[in-house]
């Protein structure tokens, strides 16, 4: 089954770089030229997954015995290696994604990535994330503990900060004490391979088991389903398309395996007429910057703007349309993205949206698509609300113009779960009553509610929720970004009932050497018991 | 479709007691006589669920506008009414479950129930459960908020403390701000109806919307699946059989609706030879009390004892067998329970277990089954580990005798997820090395690890985990018992990003009038920002 080729990139399993067991291969695309890149990557057979799962299960056991300082040392050491390898990582990611070398890759995403790993190291050392809870009277103590191997499917749009082997899910899974099997995103396998090299070196240096970090580039779909439902696995983190995500979810759910999904989101932005009258130009600037930045390829891209009919809205739409037309057309991540965007725009038009600008077919000489603005009236939307929430991932957005506030409220009521929802209203408080009604409807539909701010910035903050109700994610209670909160996804709660003092895990012992925040007899404290 | 009958019990929907839309009816059984009770209960058609969902969705909106003090007042008022109605509740539950009036129902379960509601009221008022998190620098604040209507399917074994309309899931769902649709357990519908009466009065008195509490007795299976996956629903809490639970889980998962399940668990108890030599009689006493208490009908009943071959183990088994034979035979909850127990015992024998005492057919004159002790050797278990973990819910337990510690460790490695795992070892520390090996294997398999203590007591403690890895529950990170931790299941995380101060929910405002514990800039504090 296995064929060896000098050009073929090896996978990383059980600490060894070796040829995959494979029958087929694939190439990434240079989106700036819409041409396959040279490096050849294998599509692994199940045997590779099987061996990786065995190795990961062994590593998970070893990690449970190691002090968390070793895991923190790995995260810090890895972050340093990433910073030091900036140039090669940026070149690899640029070639595979077409994202700008600077500032995007080198100056924004790479530092975010290494700093996120360092924040995870701090969280791991401190242990606050694990909600150690002590009931001295009942003699019961509980804490969140590592869950077992985590499989991470990273998305195409953040080759560093959400990479399967360096991004948010990776950092959270490792900091919670779990090994990671990274399933590279097929659009940037070489970038991921480089991360794996650095991670393996860092694991070695920190004394972690070599199978703490493993890499498989791609599997058949059926093997992906088998992977996320395997008994040896603890959980899965997935960011990507809704259809593939729901297929994996179904498999993991049947096996009772936690799977954390970030699927798709149109991220509605509501703008009141008073806000537009007050500062319509400014909001148009903010919106155009947000929706065209990174060629619109953000999970939190504002794909829908909800407006009220009238002169300010018409002016706003005209302004946005002009700016869409005068702005350059960015490069998209892959032919799959430009084809999917074109398809979504066509579908939205079929469902009743009007094309204001853009549309058409994707470019051929590079991966790109015209900046696209669509419009739909509230009554049309209410008739086909589900269809008209089709995500058009990329540099496109739909203006939804409602007759009046009641219709706008009704439209919000038809929204699916989203990652974010923004409301722009007058800063003088003149439309506060409208705000209250809008926010009351919108908040339950979104993971993050914003005021006077576009949704595309996702700060790594303890208070961030990069999550939201289904189908934006698979569960409304978890965030994929933000430390320490994101760690808890990859953990299990364990109570220790009447367990002898010397047998308790360190985080539950009477003394508190790390000054961890613990909930003792109803009070949060950093003190000893 | 609807037929009216004077004997027919009404359902509670939208604040109204009314006849169900139904085609069929059912009766509960008096287990002490194995005879149907008089009261007739309807099996609701979908129309009833549909109306309840609409009303619940409306109530959920109203609850979001009310101060949490109103919800707390409801919980306290309801608790008082339950205490005051003790006699009738105990009579109803005794008739339907056969559980002893005293101490079990009147003196243990009823006070636990009302006190749990009061603890939920405190948690609701204080708000610590919601993990309010404030990042002053980034201007982002997050908090867990109500999720929407919660459907609760209560189990048969706790007519008060886990009742759909008064138990742990109910208390947690309400305290988190959600209305509840109770699906009565079919074995105690009259008890549940009485709770609903009291709850409606209390809701009225506290000024909560009447649809805060609704009651349906039973539905067709397909309508149950439809109910847990309905868009109007927030989440489901289910405690019961694995097969029904997994069917509901599949439906809810497909719709992306959270469902918290407590399914089944054999609750392994490991006893080392040194512990048996030191205090074998005492442990036998503890075990027999635990396994026969309530006729073994606890979620955490010790259904499997893991032992090492040798003289102390043989003596222990002989002692337990004698006590099983000399103990009286308790009443089981229903014919379904005694039939299922008999079936499980037969299956276990088919799978290779040896019947030491008990077994046979259920009694006919009342719901009961002989105290049953089974035995299986380690090598047989390792060959059919999954089969031999068939839960025998009731007064039965399986002694698993392993050749040596390595085999015992291998057997633990084959265990499914369980609610609890106990280890009895020598108190002089002489077998500490064995304990370490056992606990290292056992802890990842269970929600609660106990030392020198049987698992049947489930304290309402903040550090309790009444949960555990699949298939004991549906997710390893949540507890169904314990306040405030159990509330978070019925909530969604919402971030407020750049939201104006006066628009923030109370729990995220700068001031902190309730002294709620909040995580501000990395520190837990009760102070204002």
């Amino acid at each position: 089954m296995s064929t060896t080729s000098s050009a073929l990139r090896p996978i990383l399993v059980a600490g060894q770089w070796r040829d995959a067991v494979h029958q087929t291969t694939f190439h990434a695309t240079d989106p700036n030229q819409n041409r396959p890149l040279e490096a050849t990557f294998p599509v692994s057979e199940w045997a590779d997954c099987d061996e990786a799962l065995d190795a990961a299960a062994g590593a998970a056991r070893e990690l449970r015995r190691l002090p968390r300082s070793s895991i923190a040392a790995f995260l810090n050491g890895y972050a340093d290696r990433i910073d030091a390898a900036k140039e090669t990582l940026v070149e690899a990611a640029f070639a595979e994604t077409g994202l700008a070398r600077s500032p995007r890759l080198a100056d924004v995403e790479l530092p975010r990535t290494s700093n996120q790993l360092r924040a995870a190291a701090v969280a791991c050392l401190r242990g606050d994330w694990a909600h150690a809870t002590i009931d001295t009277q009942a003699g019961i103590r509980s804490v969140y503990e590592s869950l077992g191997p985590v499989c991470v499917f990273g998305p195409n749009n953040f080759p560093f900060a959400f990479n399967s082997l360096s991004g948010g899910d990776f950092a959270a899974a490792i900091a919670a004490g779990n090994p990671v099997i990274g399933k590279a995103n097929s659009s940037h396998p070489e970038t991921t391979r480089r991360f794996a090299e650095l991670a393996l070196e860092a694991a070695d240096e920190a004394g972690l088991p070599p199978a703490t970090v493993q890499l498989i580039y791609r599997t058949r779909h059926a093997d992906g389903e088998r992977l996320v439902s395997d008994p040896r696995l603890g959980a899965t983190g997935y960011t990507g398309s809704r259809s593939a995500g729901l297929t994996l979810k179904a498999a993991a759910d049947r096996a009772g395996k936690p799977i954390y999904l970030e699927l798709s989101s149109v991220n509605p932005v509501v703008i009141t007429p008073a806000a537009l009258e007050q500062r319509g130009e400014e909001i148009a600037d903010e919106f155009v910057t947000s929706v065209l930045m990174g060629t619109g390829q953000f999970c939190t891209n504002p794909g829908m703007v909800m407006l009220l009919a009238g002169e300010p809205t018409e002016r706003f739409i005209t302004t946005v349309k002009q700016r869409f037309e005068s702005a350059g057309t960015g490069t998209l991540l892959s032919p799959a993205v430009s084809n999917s965007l074109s398809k979504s725009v066509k579908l939205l038009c079929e469902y009743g949206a009007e094309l204001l600008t853009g549309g058409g077919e994707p470019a051929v000489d590079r991966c790109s698509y015209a900046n696209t603005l669509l419009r739909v009236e509230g009554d049309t939307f209410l008739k086909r609300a589900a269809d008209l929430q089709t995500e058009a991932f990329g540099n496109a957005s739909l203006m939804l113009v409602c007759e009046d506030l009641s219709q706008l409220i009704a439209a919000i009521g038809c929204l699916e779960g989203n990652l974010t929802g923004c409301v722009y209203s007058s800063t003088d408080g003149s439309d506060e009553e409208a705000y209250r009604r809008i926010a009351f409807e919108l908040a339950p539909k979104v993971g993050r509610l914003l005021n006077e701010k576009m949704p595309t910035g996702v700060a790594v903050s303890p208070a961030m929720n990069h999550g939201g109700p289904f189908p934006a994610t698979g569960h409304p209670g978890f965030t994929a970004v933000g430390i320490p909160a994101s760690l808890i996804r990859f953990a299990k709660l364990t109570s220790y009932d009447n367990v002898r003092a010397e047998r308790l895990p360190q985080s539950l012992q009477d003394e508190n050497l790390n000054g961890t925040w613990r909930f003792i007899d109803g009070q949060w404290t950093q003190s000893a018991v």
Side-chain angles (χ1 to χ4, degrees), chain A:
Chain A
M1 298 257 284
S2 167
T3 58
T4 308
S5 147
S6 62
L8 188 74
R9 291 293 194 258
I11 59 171
L12 174 59
V13 172
Q16 301 299 318
W17 286 100
R18 67 156 172 82
D19 276 1
V21 180
H22 71 287
Q23 296 185 329
T24 56
T25 60
F26 71 100
H27 293 258
T29 303
D30 173 358
N32 280 312
Q33 307 190 58
N34 198 11
R35 273 211 310 242
L37 289 157
E38 215 166 292
T40 305
F41 295 89
V43 178
S44 281
E45 296 290 304
W46 175 250
D48 288 343
C49 302
D50 191 49
E51 193 187 333
L53 284 162
D54 266 346
R61 294 172 63 87
E62 287 187 61
L63 286 173
R64 287 174 60 211
R65 296 185 200 273
L66 288 174
R68 53 200 200 202
S69 56
S70 300
I71 296 173
F74 161 72
L75 289 164
N76 284 321
Y78 184 29
D80 292 345
R81 281 169 199 273
I82 289 172
D83 285 345
K86 182 193 277 195
E87 219 167 295
T88 51
L89 288 167
V90 166
E91 283 311 313
F94 172 71
E96 293 186 322
T97 65
L99 294 170
R101 290 183 182 95
S102 174
R104 166 66 190 262
L105 289 171
D107 308 309
V108 180
E109 196 176 334
L110 191 131
R112 179 192 174 102
T113 305
S114 53
N115 286 333
Q116 188 166 252
L117 290 165
R118 290 188 185 97
V122 171
C124 173
L125 265 183
R126 297 201 40 83
D128 302 342
W129 70 273
H131 291 163
T133 300
I134 297 177
D135 179 339
T136 57
Q137 206 145 18
I140 307 180
R141 302 177 181 215
S142 70
V143 68
Y144 281 89
E145 298 183 327
S146 62
L147 183 60
V150 173
C151 188
V152 178
F153 293 74
N156 57 1
N157 60 343
F158 281 89
F160 298 162
F162 284 86
N163 189 291
S164 308
L165 287 186
S166 66
D169 282 354
F170 174 85
I174 295 276
N178 310 290
V180 167
I181 300 173
K183 212 296 282 167
N185 188 286
S186 301
S187 73
H188 50 253
E190 177 65 13
T191 307
T192 310
R193 188 186 66 76
R194 288 178 185 270
F195 276 120
E197 285 182 341
L198 303 174
L200 182 62
E201 288 167 22
D204 188 46
E205 189 178 60
L208 299 195
T212 301
V213 179
Q214 300 183 91
L215 169 62
I216 285 172
Y217 300 105
R218 196 193 264 190
T219 65
R220 299 162 197 261
H221 291 317
D223 288 336
E225 294 174 53
R226 201 168 160 189
L227 186 56
V228 302
S229 52
D230 192 276
R232 290 162 287 186
L233 200 73
T236 296
Y238 170 94
T239 309
S241 79
R242 189 189 291 190
S243 61
L246 291 182
T247 302
L248 292 176
K249 178 180 189 301
D253 285 344
R254 276 193 300 273
K257 291 289 174 188
I259 182 165
Y260 301 96
L261 306 142
E262 194 199 311
L263 299 174
S264 59
S265 182
V266 299
N267 303 298
V269 176
V270 184
I271 313 177
T272 67
L276 290 175
E277 280 184 41
Q278 193 183 41
R279 55 196 206 285
E281 284 280 315
E282 191 186 308
I283 297 172
D285 279 345
E286 280 183 43
F287 171 70
V288 172
T289 301
S290 176
V291 75
L292 297 186
M293 182 171 52
T295 323
Q297 299 165 111
F298 290 99
C299 329
T300 53
N301 198 51
M304 182 185 287
V305 182
M306 306 180 87
L307 301 151
L308 288 181
E311 176 51 28
T313 283
E314 296 308 324
R315 237 181 306 136
F316 174 78
I317 293 176
T318 304
T319 306
V320 169
K321 176 173 177 290
Q322 285 163 353
R323 301 207 183 171
F324 267 46
E325 287 165 353
S326 62
T329 306
T331 300
L332 291 164
L333 290 159
S334 68
V337 170
S338 45
N339 290 331
S340 160
L341 175 54
S342 166
K343 193 176 150 199
S344 293
V345 168
K346 282 178 197 154
L347 280 175
L348 289 167
C349 290
E350 265 181 52
Y351 299 148
E354 172 196 357
L355 191 65
L356 298 182
T357 185
E361 297 302 317
V364 178
D365 57 334
R366 63 174 178 130
C367 298
S368 79
Y369 189 74
N371 299 327
T372 297
L373 198 66
L374 300 145
R375 174 181 181 142
V376 71
E377 308 306 312
D379 53 355
T380 307
F381 180 81
L382 289 177
K383 279 179 209 142
R384 298 197 76 165
D387 288 337
L388 284 161
Q389 289 174 71
T390 298
E391 188 189 32
F393 185 75
N395 46 330
S397 194
L398 174 67
M399 308 280 110
L400 167 57
V401 182
C402 296
E403 265 167 30
D404 53 26
L405 187 59
S406 300
Q407 193 180 59
L408 178 73
I409 297 291
I412 296 173
C414 295
L415 289 177
E416 292 184 329
N418 273 278
L419 297 171
T420 66
C422 304
V423 189
Y424 283 75
S425 61
S426 171
T427 52
D428 65 14
S430 60
D431 54 0
E432 204 58 19
E433 179 53 30
Y435 175 85
R436 299 260 167 210
R437 286 185 62 191
I438 291 164
F440 187 82
E441 294 300 321
L442 190 56
K445 302 279 188 174
V446 302
R448 179 162 55 114
L449 183 76
L450 300 95
N451 279 184
E452 280 80 63
K453 193 176 169 188
M454 288 294 160
T456 30
V458 183
V460 181
S461 158
M464 174 52 62
N465 181 21
H466 191 61
F470 185 85
T473 79
H475 191 291
F478 295 102
T479 177
V481 173
I483 290 170
S486 64
L487 275 63
I488 213 158
R489 295 174 298 157
F490 303 114
K492 77 179 272 281
L493 181 60
T494 310
S495 267
Y496 292 84
D497 188 343
N498 200 41
V499 168
R500 299 184 202 169
E502 69 278 13
R503 292 170 170 180
L504 287 166
Q506 195 203 326
S507 54
L508 292 178
Q509 293 185 2
D510 281 357
E511 60 189 359
N512 185 3
L513 297 177
N514 291 317
T516 302
W517 280 105
R518 307 191 296 182
F519 194 60
I520 303 181
D521 296 333
Q523 310 289 314
W524 283 98
T525 172
Q526 291 180 291
S527 304
V529 172

